[in-house]
Amino acid sequence: MSQNNTSRHVSAAALALALGAALTVAASPVMAADAAKEKCYGVAMKGKNDCKAGAGTSCAGTSVRDYQGNAWNYVPAGTCEKTASPTSATGMGQLKEFKEKKA
Amino acid sequence: MSVATFAAALLNPAAPCPSGLVTWNGSDAAQRFGVYRNNVTVSLIEALADSFPIVQQLVGDAFFRAMAGEFARQSPPTSPVLAWYGDAFADFVAAFPPVAGVPYLADVARLEYARVLAFHAADADPVPVAEIAACLNDADALPALRLQLHPSLQVIDSPFAITSLWGAHQGSGDLADIDPAQPECALVLRHGLSVEVMAVPAAAGRFIDALQAGASLGDAVQQASDGDTHFDPTPVLGLLISRELLIGLGRKNQQQGEKS
């Protein structure tokens, strides 16, 4: 399909160059964003959870206590159980929701 | 007593207790009404404090609460969704004489409210990268291409260094090194579940403004270049792709897609 764009000052070639370069620029972050994530319970500061904060709250950003045991954050896969959580019985984040111990 | 009288008295601490109120145990209705009135105002102030934490830090707790209380009395919520409370706060701050000496405060409030909007904006699936790359096969059609952007994306062009000021309160950069009078164009967006704030060149902001207003890719680049002949759309296009903010592609004479 060809178009008559004689009134345009921005050439199709320049846009193709920019879009092509932009795709290259964007390539690596997109890969990074696709990296494996896991839900990690008990590591979110209050109001910073990604989702699920139990009865009385609905979704992201609604946890009411730091390290709330039923609120989770997405973290890079493999790091959850290495993240400190003072409310967790193991002392680290957990892959399932848990009942908090006193921090 | 009408509901309107009751509501007006709730927001005016000087108003007398509405007549006709009775209590179940015969205690003083005026005193109970006073407690309720106080709770209403305090809850609205708390809601504003949650949405505007950096404005609060910039002017201090006591000042912020007094200013927020004033706003709450003038502009009570119009929606039952408390998260949206404060859409008029930035305009109020801009016209609030006691903060005339902090001219950047209103734009920082705009930035913070944009974050609230971005946080609650609808989800939208990005256009697959392969589909964007396929547009390169028909370069002649690129100037007329329409890009539909993610609903969370917002541009706030300010004569003040709002992104740096905001960032300094997030632990990035030192407040002492910032010249507040430096113009900054802020981009607020949500990528996945996290809201991001970043400074972009003013021309990149105009580019996004033009796209959001329905301009084609060619026209948007042209409009951005009008104020900056060196404008190169590559970085901002790269940002839109990497943050998954392109949610629809269309031709000039097509509808912008079902979600617009």
Side-chain angles (χ1 to χ4, degrees):
Chain A
M1 171 172 51
S2 76
Q3 308 230 342
N4 283 325
N5 291 318
T6 45
S7 63
R8 273 174 219 293
H9 305 280
V10 183
S11 77
L15 288 178
L17 202 63
L19 187 58
L23 283 162
T24 318
V25 169
S28 34
V30 168
M31 301 293 265
D34 287 343
K37 294 273 171 69
E38 64 190 7
K39 286 182 189 180
C40 189
Y41 286 88
V43 296
M45 292 293 136
K46 70 170 178 168
K48 303 285 185 192
N49 63 305
D50 282 343
C51 208
K52 185 168 192 215
T57 67
S58 60
C59 207
T62 55
S63 64
V64 295
R65 298 185 299 280
D66 289 349
Y67 307 109
Q68 197 170 311
N70 61 358
W72 53 264
N73 263 25
Y74 271 124
V75 299
T79 62
C80 177
E81 289 166 310
K82 295 173 189 158
T83 306
S85 172
T87 60
S88 166
T90 62
M92 299 292 163
Q94 298 184 29
L95 298 175
K96 295 231 163 71
E97 66 181 89
F98 57 86
K99 201 165 156 47
E100 295 149 37
K101 70 180 176 79
K102 289 267 184 257
Chain B
M1 177 196 54
S2 70
V3 171
T5 318
F6 185 79
L10 267 185
L11 291 166
N12 179 3
C17 173
S19 59
L21 292 183
V22 288
T23 54
W24 67 279
N25 61 357
S27 58
D28 181 8
Q31 192 181 12
R32 293 186 145 231
F33 182 77
V35 170
Y36 183 55
R37 171 158 61 194
N38 188 54
N39 286 345
V40 167
T41 308
V42 168
S43 71
L44 295 178
I45 292 172
E46 295 290 342
L48 292 168
D50 278 348
S51 292
F52 300 94
I54 308 306
V55 170
Q56 186 176 14
Q57 287 184 37
L58 284 167
V59 296
D61 286 3
F63 189 97
F64 181 85
R65 297 188 73 85
M67 180 166 71
E70 198 65 33
F71 173 74
R73 281 185 281 278
Q74 282 186 23
S75 309
T78 52
S79 153
V81 182
L82 211 49
W84 305 136
Y85 188 51
D87 61 336
F89 189 58
D91 288 341
F92 170 84
V93 170
F96 193 54
V99 290
V102 198
Y104 50 82
L105 200 62
D107 279 355
V108 173
R110 272 181 242 288
L111 177 66
E112 295 205 276
Y113 193 71
R115 292 185 75 251
V116 173
L117 292 179
F119 189 83
H120 294 283
D123 289 332
D125 291 330
V127 176
V129 173
E131 206 173 300
I132 302 170
C135 293
L136 292 171
N137 297 333
D138 186 8
D140 284 345
L142 282 177
L145 191 68
R146 305 270 175 176
L147 309 183
Q148 196 192 345
L149 305 180
H150 194 280
S152 71
L153 184 62
Q154 294 156 87
V155 177
I156 301 160
D157 194 13
S158 172
F160 304 105
I162 51 171
T163 315
S164 301
L165 287 164
W166 184 85
H169 288 87
Q170 315 295 315
S172 75
D174 190 343
L175 207 51
D177 296 336
I178 296 167
D179 172 10
Q182 202 65 33
E184 277 185 0
C185 183
L187 223 53
V188 179
L189 59 99
R190 193 183 74 232
H191 182 215
L193 293 170
S194 44
V195 174
E196 298 181 29
V197 173
M198 62 188 74
V200 294
R206 286 198 301 276
F207 175 70
I208 291 173
D209 280 341
L211 290 178
Q212 286 179 328
S216 65
L217 180 56
D219 288 346
V221 171
Q222 185 60 49
Q223 286 178 33
S225 306
D226 283 346
D228 176 3
T229 49
H230 299 293
F231 174 66
D232 173 6
T234 305
V236 61
L237 283 171
L239 181 80
L240 294 176
I241 297 167
S242 67
R243 296 302 200 283
E244 303 183 301
L245 298 167
L246 287 186
I247 60 165
L249 299 174
R251 296 280 176 254
K252 184 156 195 164
N253 296 319
Q254 273 177 357
Q255 281 294 311
Q256 278 250 337
E258 63 291 338
K259 286 178 189 161
S260 69

